[in-house]
Amino acid sequence: MKEFYCGSLVPGCEWHTRAKEEAEVMRRAVEHMRQTHGETVIRETMIEAIRSRIEKVRDAA
């Protein structure tokens, strides 16, 4: 599992997502940036900033 906390990029934002694949986390994060933060253009620098903040989730077992 991979997860992304928006607050690591946008201070004060409590939104986060978790998915099995990094690509799905990226898709959700980009959609969140568009809908919640009003980003109309997602530049490569934004993609890299999100990707660098995606963390692997340790299994809870």
Side-chain angles (χ1 to χ4, degrees):
M1 293 290 278
K2 308 281 183 161
E3 67 184 355
F4 169 73
Y5 285 87
C6 188
S8 68
L9 185 60
V10 180
C13 183
E14 295 183 12
W15 182 87
H16 66 278
T17 189
R18 181 183 287 183
K20 187 173 183 179
E21 301 294 328
E22 181 176 300
E24 179 61 15
V25 173
M26 286 296 300
R27 186 193 68 74
R28 293 176 187 177
V30 166
E31 186 64 22
H32 169 74
M33 290 295 174
R34 286 187 173 125
Q35 290 183 354
T36 304
H37 300 297
E39 296 290 336
T40 55
V41 176
I42 306 297
R43 293 184 169 79
E44 186 63 30
T45 54
M46 175 73 73
I47 297 294
E48 289 303 319
I50 293 169
R51 183 173 285 127
S52 72
R53 290 166 172 84
I54 293 175
E55 298 181 2
K56 185 174 182 178
V57 179
R58 298 180 74 160
D59 293 333

